[in-house]
Amino acid sequence: MNMIVQGLAPAAICGAVALALSLLVPPLAVLADESQLTLHTQSGDYEFNVSVVDTPESRAKGLMYVTELADDAGMLFDFKEERPVAFWMRNTFIPLDMIFVGADGVVRNVHANARPHDPTSIPSDGPVQFVLEIPGGRAAEIGLEAGDTMEHDRIKAE
């Protein structure tokens, strides 16, 4: 290292160090924590730790075969654009609340306590970009209803 540095001007050394550091430090977008989500209701703000699924394969699996889910845990389905969506509970072992949310973060509708193993289709009430699944009954506990809002890094500020 000394032999290389001796022949370089101080400005070149600073530039090389700056370049090396920029390659080691990821940009802020990479540091975004997509596991944190907040639901804003009239009774307060509620934090959830979520897994984000945004591919056809990961969305198809969802919470199938999961046998327990903490009160502050969930799964956020991102369809990357608004569209009508529908879910079912095949191979799902726990009751879930399904929260259908527009691209703007506004809750469109809530389906409470979807029954485990039920193949009946559970549709959104219109186009949505996101569906948040949380433990069954939790939406009622926090007073969540249509018109409330969800905050997450994937929701674009308007």
Side-chain angles (χ1 to χ4, degrees), residues 13-24:
I13 293 172
C14 289
V17 169
L19 176 62
L21 286 176
S22 71
L23 295 174
L24 294 175

Side-chain angles (χ1 to χ4, degrees), residues 2 9 16 19 28 32 42-43 45 70-72 93-95 97 120 130 144-145:
N2 266 347
L19 176 62
L28 289 178
Q42 289 202 1
S43 66
D45 299 336
D71 284 348
D72 67 344
F93 294 101
I94 55 176
D97 289 346
T120 305
F130 304 101
L144 185 71
E145 51 191 39

Side-chain angles (χ1 to χ4, degrees), residues 93-142:
F93 294 101
I94 55 176
L96 296 171
D97 289 346
M98 296 180 188
I99 302 153
F100 297 89
V101 182
D104 58 359
V106 176
V107 174
R108 301 288 194 258
N109 65 295
V110 177
H111 181 92
N113 280 307
R115 292 186 322 257
H117 304 291
D118 188 349
T120 305
S121 180
I122 301 168
S124 58
D125 283 350
V128 296
Q129 180 174 339
F130 304 101
V131 178
L132 174 63
E133 291 182 340
I134 59 176
R138 189 74 174 117
E141 287 175 9
I142 66 174

Side-chain angles (χ1 to χ4, degrees), residues 22-82:
S22 71
L23 295 174
L24 294 175
V25 178
L28 289 178
V30 174
L31 298 176
D33 186 0
E34 290 196 338
S35 68
Q36 298 301 303
L37 178 146
T38 305
L39 292 173
H40 301 284
T41 73
Q42 289 202 1
S43 66
D45 299 336
Y46 298 89
E47 303 288 328
F48 287 82
N49 296 306
V50 297
S51 298
V52 176
V53 291
D54 61 4
T55 65
E57 298 79 20
S58 62
R59 287 192 302 256
K61 183 177 181 205
L63 288 171
M64 285 184 180
Y65 309 108
V66 172
T67 57
E68 60 184 310
L69 195 60
D71 284 348
D72 67 344
M75 180 167 282
L76 181 64
F77 295 76
D78 183 355
F79 291 90
K80 300 186 180 182
E81 64 182 7
E82 286 197 331

